[in-house]
Amino acid sequence: PMKRFEYVKLALSDIPEEVITEYNLHEKAVDGHVYVEVRKGMYGLPQAGILAQELLQKRLETHGYYQSPIVHGLWLHKWRPIQFSLVVDDFGVKYVGEEHAQHLVN
């Protein structure tokens, strides 16, 4: 979740009619627009990348992974011979021993 909610102005013309009907948006619209409160990440929101990064870090730390202090996007394990890099939607893994790769998968 975001530390501070964001608000987005959406044109009704950009929203599918079934969504407009289900949420009764015509009654809530002002000049053909509705305002939406964003509580989590949303595609296109500038904060989406940092929110995903923070969630990834929180989840990986509990399993012994940490981000390299020198190379942004490079993750290492505290004692396993495994490291991986994540940049946007590209993912590369380097490991020694199948059991260590399986630890990352599981």
Side-chain angles (χ1 to χ4, degrees), residues 1-10 35-43 45 47-48 51:
M2 297 169 52
K3 293 176 183 159
R4 185 176 60 90
F5 299 155
E6 294 286 333
Y7 298 89
V8 178
K9 180 180 178 182
L10 296 174
Y35 292 86
V36 179
E37 185 176 82
V38 180
R39 296 182 176 211
K40 294 186 179 182
M42 181 176 171
Y43 180 79
L45 196 64
Q47 298 90 327
L51 289 172

Side-chain angles (χ1 to χ4, degrees), residues 16-95:
E17 192 59 44
E18 56 269 15
V19 174
I20 293 171
T21 303
E22 183 173 340
Y23 294 99
N24 213 10
L25 296 182
H26 283 295
E27 290 183 13
K28 299 169 181 157
V30 176
D31 295 325
H33 293 86
V34 290
Y35 292 86
V36 179
E37 185 176 82
V38 180
R39 296 182 176 211
K40 294 186 179 182
M42 181 176 171
Y43 180 79
L45 196 64
Q47 298 90 327
I50 192 67
L51 289 172
Q53 174 72 17
E54 289 171 355
L55 181 58
L56 179 67
Q57 183 171 348
K58 179 181 171 186
R59 290 182 176 172
L60 289 175
E61 281 179 347
T62 62
H63 298 284
Y65 292 91
Y66 64 96
Q67 192 164 190
S68 167
I70 300 169
V71 181
H72 186 72
L74 178 63
W75 294 83
L76 310 157
H77 193 271
K78 289 179 182 173
W79 61 270
R80 292 179 184 271
I82 186 168
Q83 54 186 295
F84 65 91
S85 178
L86 177 62
V87 178
V88 185
D89 60 355
D90 292 326
F91 188 77
V93 180
K94 178 183 174 184
Y95 61 92

